Amino acid sequence: MTDAKRVVEAFPVAAVQTVLDALHDPVRLEMVRRLANAGTAVRCGQLYDTINKSTATHHLKTLRQAGLTEKIVEDGQTYARLRTEEVDRELPGLLDAVVGAANRAEPKR
């Protein structure tokens, strides 16, 4: 992914209760887990399997508004990026703990 023609939408990291509310939903937690494990921006369609696009859009918006992710649009493709550094600065250790627990709970495939 290049920086050319890149549009980014992000919000400040929200209060801890708002962030935890966003992570409480299993679909959103799985999206964050996949983003964390990828370590880079991921096409939004790769973040969900069992829900429709409009529901996924709602979940991604909730994560953005909590300040957990940012939306990147480049050449007609939409990506999400986990804002690891920003979240760690505001809520140290939270993402590591949550993603670590989610990875341990994920059944081996």
Side-chain angles (χ1 to χ4, degrees), residues 9-22:
E9 179 185 48
F11 293 84
V13 177
V16 67
Q17 185 61 47
T18 302
V19 170
L20 290 174
D21 283 345

Side-chain angles (χ1 to χ4, degrees), residues 62-107:
T62 300
L63 291 172
R64 266 193 324 279
Q65 289 178 334
L68 290 164
T69 62
E70 67 183 3
K71 177 181 179 179
I72 301 167
V73 179
E74 182 178 31
D75 296 329
Q77 299 295 318
T78 304
Y79 299 84
R81 184 187 74 85
L82 188 61
R83 300 177 68 227
T84 306
E85 291 177 17
E86 296 88 339
V87 175
D88 281 344
R89 188 170 38 252
E90 297 297 321
L91 304 168
L94 182 112
L95 279 179
D96 287 339
V98 169
V99 171
N103 281 334
R104 287 188 298 278
E106 179 65 18

